[in-house]
Amino acid sequence: MIQMNLQAESAKKHMSPTVWYLLIALATGAIAWCAMFIIVPLLEKKVYWSNEIFAWIHLAILGSLLTGAFGVMFQLIPIAFQAPPLPKKVAIWHLPLHLIAISIMIYGFLRMQFNLVGVGGSLLFVTTLLYLLQVYRSYKNANNKTIVHRRLWLPILGLALVMGIGIWQAFTLPGTGLPLLFSHIMIGVLWFWGGLVLVISYKFIPMFVLSHGYYANLNLTSGLYFSGIFLVAISSYWPFPGAPLPSLLGTVFALGSVILLLQDVRRIILARKRKRIVFPLKISITSTMILAVSIALLLLSTLVHSLHLGMIAGYLFYFGGMVPLLMGYSQKIVPFLYYEYRFSHAPDRKNAPLIDEMVPHLPARLAMNLYAISVALGCLLFILYQFIPSTLLPSIFILLSILGAIAFTILLVSLITVLRSGGKRPLET
């Protein structure tokens, strides 16, 4: 009877839904990379209001980054804060509805039917609130209520706010216009994404490099950062354009917080107990540094009103910072979750590979090197676009698309290889 109960319990165990969120996020990131070169000529011709650009931005931000963030959130709360796990059934309804809502939005943008965008955005907003409600039930019962736990609500507040503003604009309700669009962009890019990375870096980096006894001040860093971004986000409503006080103060506060973050990350790394920093974490730390630089450039571009600098900064923020950050953490999270599913309670767990050895080294390094080359070349393309002969541009676009697509494909195959490690999961004995 005991043996049958154990077998029944074992048969009910499944892979964490986080894995599927992350794989879909990376696949969508590959599509966004290839599609980017369709909109580059529009951007360089100063065509900023087009269906292709709107559709691409929401595919990249919502389809890739937000999907990945929800996947990470599924495990971050229970593991990092010692909280009850989220029910697996949450992902069964949330992930499909999440993808359907984004698809409706993108279709609406492509057809320039903003009512349809509003419908898709409303569905996304409702599914997000329901998902976050499940996360909150776990969050409030955490046993390890660190400063990161207490500050995580700040970027989440930004997510709810940016979604609400987006729906308001899609239905062209009173107040819709350039100032509200500017606030939508600043809250979405800098408050939510920049703030989320800032907050979770104080948990993920020390957790993955095994650091203890270091000094870091998330209270001060987050206080300066979110205050600064708030001032920048509302600066478009400032009635004295000749004296841009909120934008200037906000930029100073946010840049100060970025400097503090980099100093704290340095102290965390120096306090590590493990000498070697594994390859995925090197990617994540480097991406965090690039994000810090791109945030500074974005703030500077708003201060001097330079759209060209803003485009370069946005490119670095997404492709140089957020996407490789997702790639790096995926190479840590997917092996860990697969190990928990396949080996942690299995009879053959003594023969299990090390978690850091589960992602094939050579393919993963090849993928990240190809991706880094693609991003660097793409950045040069943005900077030197006007000096490149128009006859060469199509060939350059095709080359960059292929390089990036190969990089994403190799990484996805490497992560799928992890999910086949050790063969079928045996029953516990």
Side-chain angles (χ1 to χ4, degrees), residues 30 50 70 72 98 145 171 185 192 260 272 305 309 323 357 375 383 386 399 404 407:
S50 73
F70 283 151
V72 172
H98 172 78
K145 295 184 178 180
F171 288 123
I185 294 170
F192 175 58
L260 291 176
R272 68 185 185 274
H305 305 291
L309 179 59
V323 172
E357 304 295 326
V375 171
I383 295 171
Q386 58 184 337
L399 175 63

Side-chain angles (χ1 to χ4, degrees), residues 290-420:
I290 294 173
L291 275 173
V293 173
S294 64
I295 287 173
L297 290 175
L298 280 168
L299 291 167
L300 181 61
S301 71
T302 62
L303 200 60
V304 300
H305 305 291
S306 173
L307 281 172
H308 186 69
L309 179 59
M311 287 191 298
I312 295 171
Y315 172 87
L316 284 175
F317 184 90
Y318 181 75
F319 286 114
M322 293 302 301
V323 172
L325 191 70
L326 179 64
M327 289 173 161
Y329 282 139
S330 293
Q331 292 176 61
K332 289 290 292 182
I333 294 171
V334 171
F336 171 78
L337 295 177
Y338 181 75
Y339 184 93
E340 287 292 299
Y341 161 74
R342 170 61 182 81
F343 294 109
S344 62
H345 301 292
D348 61 345
R349 58 185 173 274
K350 292 183 179 179
N351 300 321
L354 296 175
I355 292 175
D356 288 332
E357 304 295 326
M358 292 178 75
V359 178
H361 286 192
L362 288 178
R365 281 164 173 74
L366 175 61
M368 296 312 303
N369 287 332
L370 279 176
Y371 181 76
I373 292 170
S374 303
V375 171
L377 292 175
C379 189
L380 284 175
L381 174 65
F382 264 97
I383 295 171
L384 305 175
Y385 186 89
Q386 58 184 337
F387 303 107
I388 301 173
S390 58
T391 53
L392 291 178
L393 288 174
S395 300
I396 294 173
F397 292 160
I398 292 172
L399 175 63
L400 289 176
S401 295
I402 291 174
L403 281 177
I406 291 173
F408 276 102
T409 301
I410 293 174
L411 181 60
L412 281 167
V413 170
S414 299
L415 293 176
I416 291 170
T417 300
V418 172
L419 305 182
R420 299 173 64 87

Side-chain angles (χ1 to χ4, degrees), residues 72-250:
V72 172
M73 201 178 294
F74 203 97
Q75 293 293 148
L76 172 66
I77 303 299
I79 293 177
F81 304 126
Q82 300 174 18
L86 272 68
K88 298 290 189 297
K89 63 183 180 181
V90 171
I92 294 174
W93 61 261
H94 174 257
L95 184 55
L97 288 176
H98 172 78
L99 297 175
I100 290 170
I102 294 170
S103 300
I104 294 172
M105 290 182 67
I106 293 169
Y107 180 77
F109 279 122
L110 290 174
R111 297 294 301 270
M112 292 299 276
Q113 296 177 0
F114 287 99
N115 283 338
L116 195 57
V117 173
V119 171
S122 300
L123 176 60
L124 181 66
F125 187 59
V126 171
T127 56
T128 297
L129 287 182
L130 292 175
Y131 179 80
L132 291 177
L133 177 61
Q134 296 295 326
V135 171
Y136 176 72
R137 289 176 177 173
S138 174
Y139 173 88
K140 70 176 181 179
N141 292 315
N143 293 319
N144 185 26
K145 295 184 178 180
T146 62
I147 180 63
V148 177
H149 178 275
R150 296 194 296 273
R151 289 293 174 270
L152 194 58
W153 69 271
L154 280 168
I156 300 302
L157 173 64
L159 175 61
L161 188 57
V162 75
M163 284 186 172
I165 293 174
I167 295 167
W168 188 276
Q169 293 177 108
F171 288 123
T172 60
L173 297 176
T176 298
L178 286 177
L180 190 62
L181 176 62
F182 177 80
S183 298
H184 177 69
I185 294 170
M186 289 297 104
I187 294 172
V189 174
L190 295 180
W191 183 291
F192 175 58
W193 290 113
L196 183 66
V197 171
L198 181 144
V199 172
I200 67 170
S201 292
Y202 280 84
K203 186 64 182 181
F204 273 19
I205 294 177
M207 184 169 67
F208 287 137
V209 301
L210 302 178
S211 294
H212 301 285
Y214 57 86
Y215 172 79
N217 194 342
L218 178 56
N219 257 332
L220 177 59
T221 305
S222 61
L224 280 174
Y225 184 82
F226 289 107
S227 298
I229 300 306
F230 173 76
L231 288 172
V232 172
I234 65 169
S235 63
S236 57
Y237 293 95
W238 180 249
F240 309 106
L245 185 60
S247 182
L248 182 59
L249 277 179

